[in-house]
């Protein structure tokens, strides 16, 4: 499987061994982001990095795990509730003028969204490259709600290839 | 006798602590994750849960075409934006985020029912029925990922409910000289001067926590 190197800037300790071992100069960039056009995927930089800041990432992702319909259905109802929790918490946070309560409700709103995102990931929307993501975008584009950013959806359909 | 925290699994051992659990003051909270005393259960031999030999009895719902609400669509798309970010696809991430923002505002109509009580009731409903039902289906279908989110999600929902209840009792005092910390991975919320060293729910290090300022949405 073809791979490409990526650097986690948070872990990079600038030991620069990647510069010494890279055969193409892909790791030598102004912004510290490895140049994917030059990277051959050899993995020498990841092996040499003493901080474990470079990982080798596949360029084509394997198909995501298939999900059972019952699992999708129950997880979707759970996500519906968590999204309602997000909405209520957000509205209450807007209304209150007590600073502590505002923070707590804001945190609960974001927390509810994070849980809902994770649930929907397990309900079949793990990879942007999945067929169901494409089908969802196409379905929305066929009859978009008013104000829907259709241009963004069209661009995504063009840019992301289906992998399953 | 031992008691276990239903959020983080911390065990209170009466013998070691030399104080009976029942004698702890009502405002006592879990030393690890901050959950209230009421979130502790007596520790018994492992409860038998799930497969009692019964076959799959989860309701067969004609899934087919489930219509997702604007709120869930917002979560689906913000999650896909996150997925693109992790794959270092910045432009795609931005496009997904734009669609997510559209659905977030679309879903944000005023909920006439919005109150701290309805928020707590919704958490209660999920803890007592939705999560157990989801867990059962996940077990029957042997879906490890779905089981994992049932565990994390339920714990995160429990701590949210507990903090709402603590706020109802203690008011602004609860947050005096404390910050509100949010685990950006699983959504665990913690009140304290510093974030926990490890998230008690998903075990990521403290730098994955963010200090919630309020009003940034």
């Amino acid at each position: 499987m073809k791979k490409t190197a990526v650097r986690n800037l948070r872990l990079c300790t600038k030991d620069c061994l990647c510069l010494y071992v890279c055969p193409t100069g892909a790791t030598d960039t102004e912004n510290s982001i490895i140049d994917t056009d030059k990277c051959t995927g050899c993995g020498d930089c990841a092996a040499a990095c003493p901080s474990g800041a470079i990982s080798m990432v596949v360029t084509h992702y394997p198909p995501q795990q298939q999900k059972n319909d019952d699992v999708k259905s129950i997880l979707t109802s759970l996500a519906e509730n968590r999204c309602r929790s997000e909405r209520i918490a957000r509205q209450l946070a807007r209304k209150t003028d007590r600073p502590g309560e505002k923070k707590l409700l804001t945190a609960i709103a974001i927390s509810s969204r994070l849980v809902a995102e994770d649930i929907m990931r397990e309900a079949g929307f793990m990879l942007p490259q999945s067929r169901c993501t494409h089908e969802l975008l196409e379905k929305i584009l066929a009859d978009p709600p008013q104000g829907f950013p259709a241009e963004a959806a069209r661009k995504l359909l063009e840019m992301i290839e289906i992998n399953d | 006798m031992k008691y276990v925290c239903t959020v983080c699994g911390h065990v209170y051992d009466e013998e070691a602590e030399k104080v009976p659990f029942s004698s702890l003051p009502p405002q006592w909270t879990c030393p690890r994750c901050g959950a209230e005393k009421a979130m502790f259960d007596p520790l018994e031999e492992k409860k038998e849960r799930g497969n009692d030999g019964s076959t799959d009895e989860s309701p067969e719902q004609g899934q087919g075409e489930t219509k997702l609400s604007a709120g869930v669509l917002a979560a689906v798309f913000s999650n896909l934006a996150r997925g693109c970010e992790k794959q270092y696809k910045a432009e795609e991430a931005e496009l997904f985020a734009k669609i997510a923002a559209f659905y977030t505002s679309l879903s944000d109509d005023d909920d006439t029912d919005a109150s701290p009580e309805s928020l707590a009731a919704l958490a209660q409903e999920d803890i007592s029925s939705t999560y157990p039902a989801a867990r059962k289906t996940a077990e029957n279908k042997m879906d490890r990922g779905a089981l994992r989110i049932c565990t994390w999600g339920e714990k995160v929902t429990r701590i949210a409910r507990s903090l709402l209840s603590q706020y109802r009792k203690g008011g602004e005092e609860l947050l005096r000289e404390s910050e509100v910390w949010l685990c950006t991975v699983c959504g665990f919320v913690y009140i304290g001067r510093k974030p926990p060293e490890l998230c008690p729910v998903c075990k990521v290090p403290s730098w994955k926590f963010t200090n919630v300022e309020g009003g940034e949405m």
Side-chain angles (χ1 to χ4, degrees):
Chain A
M1 208 176 287
K2 187 174 168 5
K3 293 189 176 176
T4 187
V6 290
R7 171 161 34 204
N8 183 333
L9 296 177
R10 201 190 157 89
L11 298 176
C12 174
T13 45
K14 305 286 186 291
D15 295 285
C16 297
L17 281 167
C18 56
L19 298 185
Y20 302 170
V21 300
C22 179
T24 64
T27 58
D28 186 10
T29 58
E30 196 68 44
N31 58 7
S32 293
I33 295 169
I34 297 173
D35 186 338
T36 47
D37 291 338
K38 286 189 188 163
C39 177
T40 61
C42 71
D44 285 354
C45 56
C49 178
S51 316
I54 298 178
S55 44
M56 302 304 298
V57 176
V58 294
T59 44
H60 295 283
Y61 285 76
Q64 65 183 19
Q65 191 191 339
Q66 287 302 306
K67 288 288 176 171
N68 172 276
D69 278 352
D70 291 345
V71 171
K72 281 195 267 190
S73 159
I74 185 80
L75 287 183
T76 303
S77 7
L78 195 50
E80 288 288 353
N81 276 1
R82 292 296 92 213
C83 287
R84 173 139 188 266
S85 166
E86 176 197 345
R87 198 173 68 224
I88 295 176
R90 198 188 313 122
Q91 287 174 10
L92 293 174
R94 270 201 299 261
K95 275 181 208 152
T96 182
D97 45 19
R98 285 175 291 210
E101 188 179 33
K102 200 183 256 310
K103 280 190 202 174
L104 178 59
L105 288 165
T106 303
I108 290 179
I110 305 173
S111 163
S112 304
R113 166 67 71 99
L114 284 171
V115 171
E117 284 180 352
D118 203 345
I119 293 170
M120 291 316 287
R121 197 143 61 225
E122 293 300 341
F125 292 98
M126 176 88 66
L127 281 184
Q129 289 89 347
S130 65
R131 184 170 297 275
C132 65
T133 297
H134 272 248
E135 285 173 354
L136 179 63
L137 286 172
E138 276 165 359
K139 207 170 116 194
I140 296 169
L141 276 175
D143 183 18
Q146 204 188 351
F148 178 76
E151 198 43 49
R154 262 185 232 113
K155 247 195 206 157
L156 283 168
L157 286 171
E158 252 169 53
M159 292 172 82
I160 302 178
E161 55 180 39
I162 304 176
N163 75 340
D164 59 0
Chain B
M1 185 81 181
K2 291 175 183 171
Y3 293 81
V4 61
C5 175
T6 54
V7 175
C8 71
H10 175 76
V11 174
Y12 184 90
D13 184 353
E14 288 184 324
E15 213 170 298
E17 306 281 349
K18 307 267 187 279
V19 179
F21 190 72
S22 58
S23 309
L24 293 170
Q27 66 273 23
W28 180 86
T29 54
C30 173
R32 196 201 284 175
C33 75
E36 296 166 289
K37 190 182 171 188
M39 306 296 285
F40 278 70
D41 282 344
L43 185 64
E44 296 153 20
E45 323 82 270
K46 220 169 168 12
K47 269 187 264 172
E48 219 31 71
R49 69 153 51 124
N51 256 329
D52 42 7
S54 64
T55 47
D56 179 12
E57 41 183 279
S58 51
E60 291 297 330
Q61 289 169 356
Q63 149 97 358
E65 287 289 287
T66 323
K67 194 155 169 15
L68 303 174
S69 71
V72 168
L73 285 170
V76 165
F77 288 117
S78 59
N79 167 54
L80 290 167
R82 201 183 291 281
C84 287
E85 236 170 74
K86 287 187 187 189
Q87 292 184 17
Y88 302 90
K89 298 185 190 306
E91 194 182 348
E92 290 91 329
E94 207 176 296
L95 293 169
F96 273 124
K98 197 169 172 190
I99 299 177
F102 166 76
Y103 279 111
T104 301
S105 65
L106 193 65
S107 74
D108 200 17
D109 52 343
D110 268 330
D111 197 318
T112 46
D113 211 22
S115 68
E117 290 73 29
S118 65
L119 189 56
L122 191 56
Q124 184 53 46
E125 178 193 327
D126 284 349
I127 292 165
S128 54
S129 65
T130 330
Y131 280 117
R135 184 187 300 279
K136 189 147 200 239
T137 307
E139 272 168 359
N140 282 334
K141 303 296 178 194
M142 290 184 290
D143 188 328
R144 203 200 60 81
L147 261 180
R148 197 262 317 151
I149 183 53
C150 286
T151 305
W152 286 11
E154 184 183 336
K155 289 176 170 184
V156 167
T157 308
R158 277 178 188 276
I159 197 70
R161 186 189 58 166
S162 176
L163 292 173
L164 285 170
S165 142
Q166 289 177 57
Y167 184 84
R168 205 160 50 237
K169 289 173 200 153
E172 287 293 299
E173 191 60 24
L174 177 70
L175 295 118
R176 207 162 62 91
E177 291 178 30
S178 285
E179 309 289 338
V180 179
W181 300 96
L182 174 78
C183 173
T184 56
V185 174
C186 72
F188 174 76
V189 180
Y190 182 79
I191 294 177
R193 290 187 186 206
K194 284 195 296 187
E197 250 169 64
L198 281 184
C199 173
V201 172
C202 74
K203 321 294 182 208
V204 294
S206 61
W207 64 264
K208 284 287 191 178
F209 276 78
T210 176
N211 185 347
V212 178
E213 302 291 347
E216 68 246 49
M217 290 185 301

